Amino acid sequence: LPQVPPRPRRAPAQLTPSPRARQCVAMPAFACDAGPGSDAGSPTASRSETAHLLFELEDQTADERRESRRYEDVVVSSSPGRRMGVAAAAAATLALVGAAALVGSIAGRGPAAAEDRDVSVLTAACSPSGSNCLKTECCSEPGMQCYKQDDSFAMCRRSCIAAPDPTHWDGKPWSCEELGRRSAGEYACGGPGQDCRSSQCCADPGMQCFSKNASWATCKTECYKGGPDLTDVDSTPWSCEKLGPLAPAAQPWVKDECASGWESCSQSKCCKVPGEQCHLQNDYFGECKALNSCSDPGWSCKLVGARTPLPPKKSGGKLSLWTLSECNGENEGCLSSKCCLGMDLQCYEKTTGWAQCLRSCEPGPHVKDNNDTWSCKELGPRSYGLAVRGSPSLFCWSVLRTSGYEVGLMAAQKQKDAGIFACDAYSLMTADGSTTVGDVKTIEFPGAPIVTSIDGTAGNTFLFVNVWNKIIGMGKWKEHAFTVKVDPDAVFFPDRMKAHLVGMG
């Protein structure tokens, strides 16, 4: 920054700008100073006078700050031979060119003459997200409002709920008093699949803006430098440079201070269990419940406090089609692809010339590899199953009779892509024979006698021992995160099961 001459400490009331400075305030900040020798009548303040307009905010009361804010944005200096525009770094060059042109126009000169002068701009600094905006009462990011927590802290946020915030570092309640104005523009923080290069922030708790290259960055929970993203549109490796701060998730104090189960949350106004929010029965009692689950008679179901965010989802996601042809299976070489297909598989490096898809790897000699030494360096992301329909991946199967209503029932589900046919993979199992459901042929397994149990129901334990042995032997389950056995007449929604599994972490 250009050197600003020191000012004598004076009471705020003494900091009265001259008429020239007042004229300058009404103009664009970078056009305020044409420098010494400019034409008469130009709105130019002296260098020392305008420097003194940037008085310390802490010297003023809140009312004085609001009254004087329109003077805070202007400080100008001119020094031949030094060219520095203090503005947003990304627009510095454009600001200098525009300033030179406008100053030249104001002073009655052309742009070429104006370029001989140095224009530097100093704007009052507003607070970025995460910092205390109690004194500045303004926010540097677009679409943000400075909200007060208490007399000692305020922060720039998109919105505020008058209660403890599970993502804030302490459990003190927020008053949510608005300080100053909301910053201009739309809230810019993005989510997964959105470009966050400009905003360099993420809206979802626990997310970080990671860069792939100069053309793309998005919000993720983790990133593997030099490797691909299995959910990305292509296999191009990521640089994984972190842009901006990590979006805060649920903080440690939540487990100790918030309610759960049958405990009343009417006082704490926060919930221990991720995904739950305090629902009131009346003014004196409330319980933490999942979203849209309050329907008890006599309950107001009024929401109090903020919903405790779910833990950030590690890896997973719907696999892109390119992974099925470019990534490698268990025990296959992966040095080039740096990605594996299957459940809990990681590409591990042996040396600079070989890497392999394995479930685990210990650095040092490997007995199964002639005691050769492995570095076990991880290359690329770990695979958590063939989630071709979304994470976590499900392998679903049903046992049905070769005759009777079950064949038609399964055929109707197949036609609608419902039930187990909406899983990432499925198998239809029949005992001592096979049939066809739609275009799917069932897989035969050894049957077993069905007996009557002591409580008068079907005793089919041995039948299901046999089918489980067949399922295990097929090995299809190894490629998925969860294996689900579903009766033909069960109403089953795989997407809902996935949502519950994600909520369980």
Side-chain angles (χ1 to χ4, degrees), residues 53 65 90 124 130 146 151 166 180 219 244 255 265 278 282 300 343 361 490:
L53 289 178
R65 286 200 302 274
C146 179
D151 290 337
C219 294
K255 293 182 179 180
C265 57
C278 183
N282 49 47
S300 70
M343 180 57 198
C361 186

Side-chain angles (χ1 to χ4, degrees), residues 343-357:
M343 180 57 198
D344 200 23
L345 288 178
Q346 174 69 55
C347 181
Y348 288 105
E349 183 184 70
K350 174 185 178 180
T351 62
T352 55
W354 178 253
Q356 192 171 340
C357 291

Side-chain angles (χ1 to χ4, degrees), residues 69-90:
R69 180 158 289 128
R70 69 192 187 100
Y71 302 117
E72 294 170 12
D73 290 338
V74 183
V75 166
V76 287
S77 65
S78 179
S79 55
R82 296 181 59 196
R83 187 175 304 279
M84 183 184 304
V86 183

Side-chain angles (χ1 to χ4, degrees), residues 66 69 136-138 145-146 177-183:
R66 281 188 285 270
R69 180 158 289 128
T136 64
E137 295 187 0
C138 62
Q145 172 69 54
C146 179
E177 177 186 347
E178 296 182 0
L179 304 180
R181 299 178 181 178
R182 182 175 293 272
S183 56

Side-chain angles (χ1 to χ4, degrees), residues 212-365:
K212 178 181 182 179
N213 49 38
S215 302
W216 180 252
T218 195
C219 294
K220 312 195 310 181
T221 56
E222 51 193 352
C223 190
Y224 299 90
K225 185 177 181 179
D229 182 337
L230 303 183
T231 65
D232 198 8
V233 295
D234 57 41
S235 58
T236 305
W238 284 65
S239 71
C240 293
E241 178 187 357
K242 294 181 179 180
L243 305 180
L246 176 73
Q251 299 297 300
W253 63 265
V254 173
K255 293 182 179 180
D256 299 325
E257 300 180 27
C258 297
S260 64
W262 289 347
E263 298 174 347
S264 177
C265 57
S266 61
Q267 296 299 316
S268 66
K269 298 181 181 179
C270 62
C271 297
K272 184 181 302 184
V273 178
E276 293 189 350
Q277 190 170 2
C278 183
H279 293 69
L280 291 183
Q281 180 184 28
N282 49 47
D283 292 340
Y284 310 102
F285 184 80
E287 287 182 0
C288 291
K289 300 176 182 288
L291 198 64
N292 300 322
S293 65
C294 184
S295 58
D296 301 326
W299 281 62
S300 70
C301 292
K302 179 182 177 181
L303 296 176
V304 176
R307 180 174 177 241
T308 301
L310 294 169
K313 186 178 176 183
K314 296 292 184 181
S315 291
K318 184 178 180 180
L319 294 181
S320 290
L321 291 178
W322 66 263
T323 61
L324 304 180
S325 59
E326 296 188 35
C327 295
N328 303 102
E330 187 174 8
N331 296 321
E332 293 180 352
C334 56
L335 186 63
S336 177
S337 69
K338 293 183 175 60
C339 61
C340 302
L341 286 180
M343 180 57 198
D344 200 23
L345 288 178
Q346 174 69 55
C347 181
Y348 288 105
E349 183 184 70
K350 174 185 178 180
T351 62
T352 55
W354 178 253
Q356 192 171 340
C357 291
L358 302 169
R359 284 191 166 79
S360 62
C361 186
E362 290 291 333

Side-chain angles (χ1 to χ4, degrees), residues 102 118 314 389 424 430 451 500:
L102 185 54
D118 190 45
K314 296 292 184 181
R389 288 183 175 239
D424 300 276
T430 49
V451 300
H500 284 293

Side-chain angles (χ1 to χ4, degrees), residues 129 140-142 186-191 194-203 209 217-219 243-245:
S129 296
S140 59
E141 281 99 354
E186 296 293 328
Y187 178 73
C189 294
Q194 296 177 329
D195 194 348
C196 58
R197 286 175 299 160
S198 296
S199 67
Q200 298 194 1
C201 61
C202 299
C209 179
T218 195
C219 294
L243 305 180

